[in-house]
Amino acid sequence: MAFSIKVNGSQHNVDVDGDTPLLWVLRDSLGLTGTKYGCDAGICGACTIHLGGVVTRSCAVAVQDAGDREVITIEALGGTHPLQNAWVEGDVSQCGYCQAGQIMTAAALIANGAKPTDADIDSAMSNICRCGTYNRIRAAIKRASGQV
Ligand code: FES
Ligand code: FES
């Protein structure tokens, strides 16, 4: 079935089953492989995107349910987002697998000049990192939001 979805500012037509998760539309149909596959259960956060401005696990949303909400993926950050600079400066990544999802969750947290507290960060950052980079992630979010 054909669907039209807006991703990172561009409209795309894809021909997939309606129950195909957005994760696979992004990765397989559109080649946007920055969004990662982890648990496939809406838990780990490796597949985090923004959907209509809301932090969303893309493995848990079927393309037929996306409607006209725009999808924003890690590719839209362009490599120069303040979070990405802070991630490099803070040497956050270890294996790196979870990090695109971590950054997408963090991007919503610091949007519009917000300066999240430690409690805000702990509450919002539900993404799982098997390498245990949580302290560095917190520090990088503080740096990217101008708090250090
Ligand atoms: S792959 Fe989507 S939450 Fe884990
Ligand atoms: S850096 Fe390895 S899973 Fe997070």
Side-chain angles (χ1 to χ4, degrees), residues 3 9 14 17 25-26 36 42 45 47 54-56 59 61 73 86 97 100 107 109 117 120 122 130-132 141:
F3 294 91
V14 295
D17 291 341
V25 173
L26 295 169
K36 302 304 184 194
C47 66
V54 177
V55 171
T56 299
C59 71
V61 179
T73 71
Y97 198 82
L109 186 60
T117 63
D120 295 333
D122 289 344
R130 65 186 173 188
C131 300
I141 292 171

Side-chain angles (χ1 to χ4, degrees), residues 92-99 102 128-133 137:
V92 174
S93 295
Q94 291 193 29
C95 82
Y97 198 82
C98 74
Q99 298 295 335
Q102 303 278 6
I128 293 169
C129 175
R130 65 186 173 188
C131 300
T133 63
I137 288 171

Side-chain angles (χ1 to χ4, degrees), residues 28-103:
D28 291 348
S29 300
L30 302 181
L32 295 170
T33 55
T35 304
K36 302 304 184 194
Y37 169 71
C39 66
D40 197 25
I43 297 170
C44 74
C47 66
T48 301
I49 60 167
H50 297 179
L51 179 62
V54 177
V55 171
T56 299
R57 306 302 209 224
S58 64
C59 71
V61 179
V63 65
Q64 65 192 1
D65 297 327
D68 59 3
R69 293 175 290 177
E70 182 173 9
V71 174
I72 300 294
T73 71
I74 187 72
E75 284 84 357
L77 273 56
T80 56
H81 187 284
L83 281 169
Q84 292 171 310
N85 294 335
W87 245 245
V88 172
E89 289 167 16
D91 203 15
V92 174
S93 295
Q94 291 193 29
C95 82
Y97 198 82
C98 74
Q99 298 295 335
Q102 303 278 6
I103 288 172

